[in-house]
Amino acid sequence: MNSKHKKTLAALFNDPLKGTLAWADIERLLIAAGAEVVEGRGSRVRFEKEGVSAFFHRPHPDKEAKKYQVKLAREFLIKIGVKP
C-alpha cells in the first residue's frame, strides 16, 4: 500500500463519514488491499477477497462516492482485516 492508499484509508475511517472521497481512490485502495474486481452490468462492480464480497454501483455522473458507499467500503475493509 502506498502513501496515497494510506491517506484514502484514513479518510474512509474518519467520523463523521465523508461524501467527498473520489470513487477511483476508494477502488484503488480496495485493489491494493488485495481485493479482486468483478465487473457487472453497467456501473455494477463487486470486490472479493477471502470469501468476502462487497457490491457497489460506481457513482455517475459524479466522481465522488456517496456516504453509503464509503460506509460499505469501510465495512468490507474491516471484514478482510484492513484498518488504519
Side-chain angles (χ1 to χ4, degrees):
M1 222 181 277
N2 65 28
S3 61
K4 178 125 173 120
H5 297 142
K6 290 178 184 177
K7 185 177 177 182
T8 304
L9 181 64
L12 270 172
F13 280 85
N14 275 345
D15 279 322
L17 290 175
K18 290 186 178 184
T20 58
L21 292 171
W23 171 254
D25 292 342
I26 294 172
E27 196 165 342
R28 284 187 211 108
L29 170 64
L30 296 176
I31 292 167
E36 180 182 333
V37 180
V38 180
E39 297 289 338
R41 294 179 136 198
S43 64
R44 294 182 204 143
V45 64
R46 180 175 75 225
F47 294 91
E48 294 181 340
K49 183 177 180 189
E50 301 169 359
V52 179
S53 297
F55 300 87
F56 298 91
H57 282 269
R58 288 186 176 110
H60 55 83
D62 300 325
K63 295 181 181 184
E64 289 82 27
K66 307 283 190 256
K67 286 186 179 185
Y68 78 91
Q69 293 169 316
V70 173
K71 183 178 179 183
L72 288 173
R74 181 194 299 189
E75 291 170 358
F76 176 70
L77 287 167
I78 290 169
K79 287 179 184 175
I80 63 171
V82 178
K83 296 178 186 173

